[in-house]
Amino acid sequence: MDTIVGTAGHIDHGKTALVKALTGTDADRLPEEKKRGITVDLGFAEMSVGDVHFGFVDVPGHERFVKNMLAGASGIDIVLLVIAADEGVMPQTREHFDICRLLDIKAGIVVLTKSDLVDAETLELAKLDASELVADSFLKAAPLIAVSSITNEGLPDLRDALVAEARALARAENERVIRLPIDRSFSMRGFGAVVTGTLASGEINESDELELLPSGGKVRVRGLQTHGKPVKTALAGQRVAVNVAGIDHSKITRGMVLVEPNILKPTQIIDAEIEVLSDAARPLRTRQRVRVALGTSETLGRIQVLNSSAEIAAGEKDFIQVRFETPVVALPGERFIIRSYSPQRTIAGGVVIDALAAKHRRKEFEHASRNLRNLLSAGNEHIETVRLLVDAAETAGLSFAELQSRTALKSVVLKSAIEENTKNSSLVVAGEVFVAADSFKALTKSVEAAIADFHKKEPLAKGISREALRESVTQFISADVFNAVITNLHSSGAAAIDKDTIRLAAHKTELSDEEAALSGKILASYIDARLEPSRLDEVLDQAIGSTRFSRTDARKFFQLHLDSGDIVKLADDFYFSKSEIDKLVSRLRQFADTTDARLIDVAKFKELAGVSRKYAIPLLEYFDRERITRRAADKRLIL
């Protein structure tokens, strides 16, 4: 059982000494730390008690190094809130405690260090001070243990309490893809770049290909260590050192993240719910520039409060959008801390709800807040989360890749959630895209209405083209979704499809007596012309004569005959009566039956059809296309 323990507390309250007393390891590794006697960066140590293995992250207590403390707080299971018995609760004690609470750390132990320096009465006062600090918090029922790192008094009790807390932890299912926030990077002779961190999710195997975000470079895992020993696989919740190939360690910095390739995406906008600390000096306001500690990174950004007042008062919760100045890697459900830009002070903390958010305009705030509230309520209910995300995408829908980048769920987990939604008819599968059933139904009605509107405007047209129909509804519908709607209309019997033309099944072309007369004249012109028809405009003008119709009107009636197949197009401005074409085909095949080779040349064809070369060539080429004939040198084989 692996458990990550983090220290928290004011400078010089004995955090590093406590870790050394517990583990035998001095977590201060930097020359500056040795010289100054204070912790300035993260330190690490390990301890095993029975089957429980503890990885300790020792954080600096000085206010100047809270940035480093925050990087170490990522991934903590149990916090040791360290308070010196001879000084009691101090400013950084309170800030560190607020950070742990805002990060939603679930378990912890309050440790009163330096117990050997105070008498019993002072120790009791320190206990009262500590109890008052943690009242009504996640540490209200936590063990409160007095220890001395010098005499080792209380250390056995502390070890027992750590084991008890570790065994009581609710272990989250490891359902998300590989994600390792990097808190340290260095180079080892003969090995190359090494990164360390607490594996937040997934499993890393030796030889895996991973992606380094937000830079986007690919690396290969050359080796792994956990508990200081080489392993083939590292599991979620473990402290891990990864030897990576394909990059120089100087290109890797704290705050970067190793992830499964081609799934997660860097972002500069997140939607979140935040809580402003009750002792914040002023409300959190829209456009306020802040420092955001997310994972092991600290990034500058600006706040957009998603309410009408554009601010959140001290002690209040609300929804915000954070717009970062540089890309970050964020996941839904990930906790973060907000600190003021200057002077640097922790003022709020929250939870990421949408890690790939789009900018919200003021008129969208209410709708966005409602969606965020629903997503927050869904929590780890993946079926509901998928449904809500797809629903929010409306008619655009979301692909599997888009859903995975927004949820970070392993493929098998996401597939299961999608399948459940399709089974209960919440989602419609549209090619490679998933659309909410209600959105698909509404879109289908809109498309059906658009076809009906076209029939109303163009009653003589056979139907509307696919592209014209798609543009008339919305150009932002993906081809997958649009095709699924058309297929649905066709399969339900509501619409008929003829190649790229779509019409309502109930649509019928009804002509008035005048229109029917003109239509008849056009068809008769082609029948009478037999195999030597005039140009189209001439046919139309002759048919119109002195009627009230224009050439544009006449073209619509001509199109009706073309759509019905009464008139056939052979080439540009070469149109023939279908009945005359059929007669010619019959004569052609009768001729073929009289010859052993079934061959005919152009001259013989002109004689058989009774036409000039002007018409003979287009006719023969049409027969080739229709596989009535096939070229054989300078002749045609009649099939």
Side-chain angles (χ1 to χ4, degrees), residues 468-486:
L469 177 58
R470 185 176 170 186
E471 289 181 9
S472 70
V473 180
T474 172
Q475 59 182 330
F476 299 112
I477 299 176
S478 72
D480 278 348
V481 175
F482 178 74
N483 290 335
V485 169
I486 299 303

Side-chain angles (χ1 to χ4, degrees), residues 287-308:
R287 295 293 302 160
Q288 184 172 340
R289 196 177 191 213
V290 295
R291 301 174 185 272
V292 181
L294 179 71
T296 57
S297 71
E298 182 185 82
T299 312
L300 295 174
R302 291 193 183 272
I303 299 297
Q304 174 66 65
V305 179
L306 300 180
N307 65 31
S308 56

Side-chain angles (χ1 to χ4, degrees), residues 423-639:
K423 282 180 186 176
N424 64 30
S425 301
S426 295
L427 301 186
V428 174
V429 181
E432 299 295 320
V433 178
F434 304 99
V435 184
D438 289 344
S439 294
F440 189 81
K441 191 180 296 183
L443 180 58
T444 300
K445 287 183 178 179
S446 296
V447 170
E448 194 171 3
I451 300 172
D453 186 56
F454 176 82
H455 287 326
K456 186 176 180 180
K457 293 177 181 176
E458 300 289 344
L460 300 181
K462 181 180 180 181
I464 184 172
S465 71
R466 280 179 175 267
E467 284 308 308
L469 177 58
R470 185 176 170 186
E471 289 181 9
S472 70
V473 180
T474 172
Q475 59 182 330
F476 299 112
I477 299 176
S478 72
D480 278 348
V481 175
F482 178 74
N483 290 335
V485 169
I486 299 303
T487 300
N488 181 56
L489 283 171
H490 179 62
S491 61
S492 68
I497 303 172
D498 181 12
K499 295 182 181 178
D500 287 331
T501 302
I502 302 159
R503 64 176 174 84
L504 295 181
H507 175 68
K508 293 182 180 179
T509 303
E510 296 183 359
L511 305 180
S512 66
D513 292 343
E514 282 184 296
E515 291 170 338
L518 177 57
S519 177
K521 284 183 180 180
I522 293 171
L523 181 57
S525 295
Y526 283 99
I527 293 173
D528 294 343
R530 302 188 65 177
L531 296 174
E532 293 184 316
S534 302
R535 293 175 58 251
L536 175 58
D537 287 348
E538 293 173 2
V539 171
L540 298 181
D541 289 343
Q542 184 180 7
I544 292 167
S546 59
T547 66
R548 63 179 178 82
F549 296 106
S550 66
R551 186 186 286 177
T552 300
D553 296 328
R555 277 185 176 274
K556 293 179 181 179
F557 299 122
F558 167 78
Q559 186 65 43
L560 287 176
H561 291 300
L562 203 60
D563 291 340
S564 68
D566 293 335
I567 294 175
V568 179
K569 180 180 180 179
L570 271 64
D572 289 342
D573 215 16
F574 277 87
Y575 299 95
F576 290 76
S577 161
K578 180 65 165 57
S579 61
E580 292 302 315
I581 292 291
D582 290 343
K583 291 175 184 177
L584 178 57
V585 171
S586 179
R587 293 201 301 275
L588 194 59
R589 284 179 172 152
Q590 287 174 2
F591 170 79
D593 291 339
T594 66
T595 64
D596 292 336
R598 300 183 68 84
L599 294 173
I600 189 170
D601 57 18
V602 174
K604 188 61 181 178
F605 180 79
K606 286 166 57 181
E607 179 186 335
L608 183 70
V611 297
S612 66
R613 186 177 180 86
K614 171 184 175 182
Y615 295 101
I617 297 304
L619 281 165
L620 283 169
E621 289 176 347
Y622 171 75
F623 288 154
D624 290 344
R625 291 195 302 274
E626 295 297 310
R627 297 188 179 183
I628 295 166
T629 60
R630 186 176 67 218
R631 292 198 69 140
D634 59 346
K635 295 182 180 182
R636 254 76 173 189
L637 172 67
I638 303 169
L639 302 175

Side-chain angles (χ1 to χ4, degrees), residues 28-47:
D28 280 346
R29 54 188 170 79
L30 302 177
E32 181 184 0
E33 293 173 320
K34 302 292 187 184
K35 181 179 179 181
R36 297 173 62 183
I38 64 170
T39 301
V40 300
D41 203 357
L42 302 178
F44 307 98
E46 297 182 20
M47 175 182 77

Side-chain angles (χ1 to χ4, degrees), residues 63-195:
E63 63 180 346
R64 287 175 53 196
F65 305 114
V66 172
K67 172 182 176 180
N68 294 342
M69 178 270 174
L70 285 164
S74 173
I76 286 177
D77 297 312
I78 300 172
V79 62
L80 295 181
L81 182 62
V82 177
I83 303 170
D86 61 338
E87 289 190 337
V89 174
M90 298 291 282
Q92 290 313 122
T93 314
R94 295 184 184 278
E95 184 169 19
H96 282 207
F97 169 66
D98 283 336
I99 288 169
C100 293
R101 185 178 61 79
L102 292 171
L103 288 175
D104 199 30
I105 295 173
K106 300 295 186 184
I109 300 171
V110 181
V111 184
L112 294 178
T113 54
K114 304 185 181 183
S115 63
D116 57 304
L117 299 182
V118 298
D119 56 26
E121 184 178 354
T122 304
L123 185 59
E124 283 304 313
L125 288 174
K127 288 181 179 180
L128 289 173
D129 197 17
S131 297
E132 184 179 346
L133 172 67
V134 301
D136 299 322
S137 77
F138 73 103
L139 290 177
K140 64 182 178 182
L144 194 160
I145 301 172
V147 303
S148 168
S149 300
I150 302 298
T151 67
N152 292 333
E153 181 184 358
L155 289 181
D157 293 337
L158 179 54
R159 286 193 183 91
D160 290 344
L162 279 169
V163 171
E165 291 291 329
R167 295 194 187 284
L169 283 175
R171 305 284 174 175
E173 291 291 328
N174 187 19
E175 297 178 320
R176 287 185 164 173
V177 297
I178 298 168
R179 182 172 65 97
L180 176 69
I182 295 170
D183 54 35
R184 189 179 171 211
S185 167
F186 55 92
S187 180
M188 287 187 65
R189 185 183 297 274
F191 291 91
V194 177
V195 300

